Each structure stands twice: as C-alpha cells, then as structure tokens.
Amino acid sequence: MLRRFFGTFAMLKECVAMSLSNIRGNRMRSFLTVLGIMIGVTAVIALITTVSGVSDSLSSSFSSMGAGTLTVSVTGSDLKSGMTDTDLDELAGLDIVDGITPTVSLSARVSRGGSYETGISVSGNSAYYFQTNEGVVERGRAINVVDTANTSFVCLISQEMVDTFFYGVDPIGEELYIDGVPFLVVGLFSDEESESIASIFSGGNDILVPYTTALKMNNENVVTSFTIYLTDGVDSEAAADVIEAEMDVMFSYEDDCFTVTTLSSVENTMEEMLSMMTALLAGIASIALLVGGIGIMNMMLTSVTERTTEIGLKKALGALPWQIQAQFLIESFLLSVIGGLAGVVAGLLLSFGLCQMMGTEFALNPGAIALGVGFSAAVGIIFGWAPARKASRLNPIDALRSF
C-alpha cells in the first residue's frame, strides 16, 4: 500500500516536471494562453476589490454622518397634510429626542440689481440645524430662534451665489431678492454645508433661510420633512418605533401617512445595491475567464495532436489511460493557476490604483482572491479535461503508426 502511494506520488511529480518542460518549450503559445486567464482574473479581482473598498468607505461615511439621526418624510392624509409646530414640539419633548430640524425646500428666482437667476435651490432650516452642524457658517452669523419665531427675511448664501451676485462686494449686510422679496444676507455657508445624513436626501442648496419663512413663501403652514436628532446612546431602531407610535396617534392611525428612515435601513439598501453591482460586474468579467479557458482547450488539443507519437510510446511501454490523462490535466491546471496568480497580483495593483484615484481606502478582499484563483483552477480542469480524455483514449498502434 505504501509502495503504491509513493509510486503514484513519484509519477505525479514526473508529470509536473514534464508539464513545466512542455510549457517552457512552447513559450509564446503558453504566454498567450496564460495571458487570457490573467486578464480574466485581473478584471474579477480589480472590480470586486474596488467595489468592496468603495462600500467600506460609504459605510464609514454613513456612520459618521448619520449616527443618532432619523429622517422623517410626511405624505399626510386627507385630514392632516403635515406636521405643525405643536406636533414638532411634542416630538421634541420626548426623552429620546435631543432636537428636531425641519427642512422646507423650494426653487426660486433670485435677483440683485440687473442680474437674476432662476431655479435657485432655497432651503428653510431651524436654529437647531446650525447648532448641530458646526462649521456650516463660514462668515457672518447663523439663523437663530428669533429669526424663525418672527419669520424674518434673512438668509445665508453659498460661495456660488457670492460669485454670481456679489462679485467684488462684501455680501454681508446686503439685500438679495428671492421671488421678488428682499432678504438681508447675514452670512455665508460652506458649499459642503452639512455632514448629516439628511443632506444626502435634500441635495445641495444655494440659499438657507428660516424654515418658517420658507413655509410662508410656499404658502404652507405644515412641515413635511424633518430630521430628528436622538439623545446620546439611544438605539435608532428602537427610537424609530417610538416616533412611529407617536406619529400614528397624530395621524389617527391612518396608513401610509409618513416614513421614518434610519441609518441602518439606508446602509442596508446601499449594501444590497453594491452587492448586486458587484455580482453583475464579476459576471461580466468572468466572460474573459471563459475565453481564457477556451484558449487553454485549444492549446491542449493542439498539444495532443503534436504529441501523438509520445503518447503512443508511453502507452506501448505500459502507461495507463488515467496516467496519460493526469499528465495533460496537470499541464492545463498549471497554465491556469499561473495565469490566476499573475492575475491576482495585477488585479490588486489595478484596484489599488483605482482606489487612490477615487480617494477611497484600499482593502484586501480574501474572498475575491480565493474566487479568482479558484475560478482559474476550475477553468483549467474543466477545459483541460476534454483534451486529456482524448489523449488517454488514443490507440497506441495508431499513435505509433504516425511516427
């Protein structure tokens, strides 16, 4: 038994040596075959690793932007179209709530002097918004509780608005007309105005005004969108259940009147989208691996034809069919594995470069590496099986007759 084991091991070792010798003997053909596998594995590794890095960066960004917040969107009912100030104060009075920032958006015509622009994005916010988003105001002052209580016509503008309407002029203290109404510019805010999760859904804004003023400009008296900031240590999922229960009472338990979005739900949706995109891209990249597998099959079939005499001699000297088949399978396997390992290195380097260009963190993905190497090895075995089987079934007499 032990002798048979060592005999088989020695035979396999000899097959590996002969396979490597044959690969070196056909350098150009072997290189082109390996190149096909390498390109396929490179594409798979680079795409999966890059998307994984982007996913990790997005997750960490979500965690930093949306920790401890809930976003609420109100569609309303026939009896109640939105949230009044009394409703918001009732929610703000809950122990789990630290504060609430209503958001009212509108598109307006903005003018000053002889210049005007249409479709300018105006957002109404509360004083609490500026307290929780430090660094938003670059110059001047923020909107305060007096502004919201008095429905003051004051605003903060972005640098783009400064360049458009106040080129060469200090905008602080100047007037800007929004839909024909004069607003006093009290401050400038950063173009990256907010690091909260709510800013992702509201998009970028050009002008910030008190939310009460924005409601008045929209001829509305209720809020349909707001962000809830939770008390430190409060679980967002549990808080969402409490908020939903309170709002169910406000809307008389009617269905589909509002939606409470938590950070985890946004992350789950994003992860599902990225997973689908990863699977799609990996599937497309795998086509290159199949093409490389066809190249391996073509090379091995050619090799069988060229080595017909060698196969005949081996079978005439007593080589068994499985030994002939093993030799060609090993050669096919080695070609694919060499291409797979080279593809892993090239794919990681390409992914690192892409992550650097996109400004995302590069992270090794063991699953992608295992998939690339495993897939390449499987391709070598699957596409090498038919040529190996053909070689093992050659008649030694017919093979030697071609000598």
Side-chain angles (χ1 to χ4, degrees):
M1 186 71 179
L2 190 61
R3 181 180 300 175
R4 180 179 298 177
F5 171 77
F6 282 110
T8 302
F9 178 77
M11 187 275 297
L12 291 175
K13 183 179 178 181
E14 183 66 23
C15 285
V16 171
M18 293 179 66
S19 298
L20 291 174
S21 176
N22 187 63
I23 291 173
R24 287 193 298 267
N26 297 276
R27 287 186 175 85
M28 181 56 67
R29 190 164 62 189
S30 299
F31 170 75
L32 294 175
T33 304
V34 167
L35 184 62
I37 297 294
M38 177 182 169
I39 291 173
V41 174
T42 298
V44 171
I45 296 292
L47 289 173
I48 294 180
T49 305
T50 303
V51 172
S52 178
V54 172
S55 178
D56 292 341
S57 297
L58 285 175
S59 296
S60 57
S61 296
F62 274 119
S63 298
S64 61
M65 289 189 297
T69 62
L70 303 175
T71 57
V72 182
S73 177
V74 179
T75 53
S77 64
D78 294 335
L79 299 177
K80 187 178 180 66
S81 59
M83 301 288 286
T84 63
D85 288 341
T86 302
D87 296 328
L88 295 178
D89 290 339
E90 186 175 340
L91 291 180
L94 296 174
D95 293 337
I96 62 172
V97 177
D98 189 59
I100 294 178
T101 60
T103 302
V104 182
S105 300
L106 63 139
S107 180
R109 181 182 188 274
V110 179
S111 62
R112 179 178 181 270
S115 302
Y116 72 92
E117 292 284 342
T118 59
I120 299 300
S121 176
V122 180
S123 176
N125 299 95
S126 66
Y128 187 80
Y129 169 84
F130 295 91
Q131 296 173 16
T132 56
N133 292 278
E134 297 180 358
V136 170
V137 181
E138 289 188 341
R139 287 184 56 208
R141 69 170 179 87
I143 292 171
N144 54 43
V145 292
V146 176
D147 295 326
T148 55
N150 296 333
T151 316
S152 301
F153 291 96
V154 296
C155 67
L156 287 86
I157 62 176
S158 66
Q159 184 60 47
E160 183 178 352
M161 293 294 97
V162 175
D163 297 337
T164 303
F165 297 105
F166 297 98
Y167 186 77
V169 178
D170 186 359
I172 305 298
E174 297 290 332
E175 284 189 339
L176 190 66
Y177 285 81
I178 303 176
D179 281 344
V181 178
F183 277 73
L184 179 66
V185 179
V186 297
L188 277 65
F189 68 90
S190 170
D191 290 334
E192 299 177 357
E193 68 179 66
S194 174
E195 295 182 356
S196 69
I197 196 71
S199 65
I200 296 178
F201 301 103
S202 62
N205 297 297
D206 300 308
I207 300 175
L208 302 181
V209 300
Y211 83 93
T212 51
T213 305
L215 284 174
K216 185 176 182 179
M217 296 176 68
N218 276 342
N219 294 318
E220 297 174 348
N221 57 7
V222 292
V223 174
T224 57
S225 178
F226 56 95
T227 301
I228 298 176
Y229 291 81
L230 303 176
T231 306
D232 291 341
V234 175
D235 179 70
S236 60
E237 295 294 336
D241 293 336
V242 175
I243 298 299
E244 288 175 355
E246 291 291 329
M247 293 185 66
D248 279 335
V249 176
M250 296 175 183
F251 285 90
S252 303
Y253 297 96
E254 291 194 35
D255 296 331
D256 303 323
C257 292
F258 59 87
T259 302
V260 179
T261 304
T262 63
L263 174 65
S264 58
S265 64
V266 176
E267 285 185 313
N268 291 337
T269 302
M270 185 64 68
E271 287 176 0
E272 290 177 3
M273 293 174 60
L274 288 173
S275 296
M276 292 175 59
M277 184 173 66
T278 301
L280 178 62
L281 292 175
I284 295 174
S286 297
I287 296 175
L289 271 176
L290 295 178
V291 174
I294 294 173
I296 286 180
M297 179 181 286
N298 180 61
M299 175 182 174
M300 297 310 299
L301 286 172
T302 304
S303 181
V304 169
T305 302
E306 292 178 348
R307 296 160 65 185
T308 300
T309 303
E310 174 191 337
I311 296 170
L313 286 172
K314 287 182 178 180
K315 298 194 76 172
L317 292 173
L320 298 175
W322 73 267
Q323 294 173 328
I324 301 295
Q325 189 168 354
Q327 179 182 342
F328 283 88
L329 272 178
I330 288 173
E331 185 172 331
S332 173
F333 177 79
L334 288 175
L335 282 170
S336 61
V337 169
I338 292 171
L341 293 176
V344 167
V345 176
L348 291 177
L349 291 175
L350 178 59
S351 176
F352 178 79
L354 291 174
C355 288
Q356 292 296 312
M357 290 174 59
M358 294 186 294
T360 60
E361 184 178 352
F362 171 78
L364 286 175
N365 190 323
I369 296 174
L371 176 65
V373 175
F375 201 180
S376 64
V379 164
I381 295 173
I382 293 171
F383 286 90
W385 180 80
R389 186 168 180 270
K390 178 182 178 181
S392 67
R393 300 181 67 180
L394 281 177
N395 189 313
I397 296 177
D398 295 335
L400 289 172
R401 187 176 295 159
S402 64
F403 181 67

